[in-house]
Amino acid sequence: MQISEIEKSLEVFKLDVGRFPTTEEGLEALSTKPASAMGWAGPYMKGGVPADPWGKPFKYQGTSANGAIEIISLGADGSVGGEGENADIKNKQ
């Protein structure tokens, strides 16, 4: 649910700015205007970007060659991979 809300906010950012935030700008671009973000009309998330269900920040990867973005929670263990509660959760782009 949180990943979906972040994804929607990133889409609005893209509508205003003409692009998704870069990996370097990260999800912070939803709360704080990046210097190169002409047209930024945020903040795009009320209360800022939430932490994942385990209280850790979501990871963000800006657009790849196919234009996709990634929003990732590393699960309960905070490490790549894992199963069950420790499994990574990401958007489906």
Side-chain angles (χ1 to χ4, degrees):
M1 187 84 150
Q2 291 169 310
I3 288 176
S4 176
E5 291 301 315
I6 294 169
E7 206 167 28
K8 288 175 189 172
S9 296
L10 287 165
E11 289 290 343
V12 176
F13 177 100
K14 183 180 178 187
L15 284 173
D16 289 348
V17 177
R19 62 173 177 80
F20 286 114
T22 64
T23 301
E24 294 75 27
E25 291 169 340
L27 295 175
E28 295 78 28
L30 297 175
S31 301
T32 305
K33 181 185 182 292
S36 65
M38 304 316 271
W40 190 90
Y44 294 94
M45 295 195 81
K46 239 180 202 175
V49 179
D52 73 9
W54 298 277
K56 298 177 183 93
F58 284 96
K59 306 291 181 192
Y60 172 75
Q61 180 68 40
T63 56
S64 60
N66 67 0
I69 56 168
E70 278 192 328
I71 306 160
I72 305 165
S73 166
L74 296 178
D77 65 355
S79 299
V80 175
E83 296 181 18
E85 201 171 274
N86 294 329
D88 298 350
I89 303 167
K90 59 176 97 175
N91 64 323
K92 297 184 181 198
Q93 284 206 7

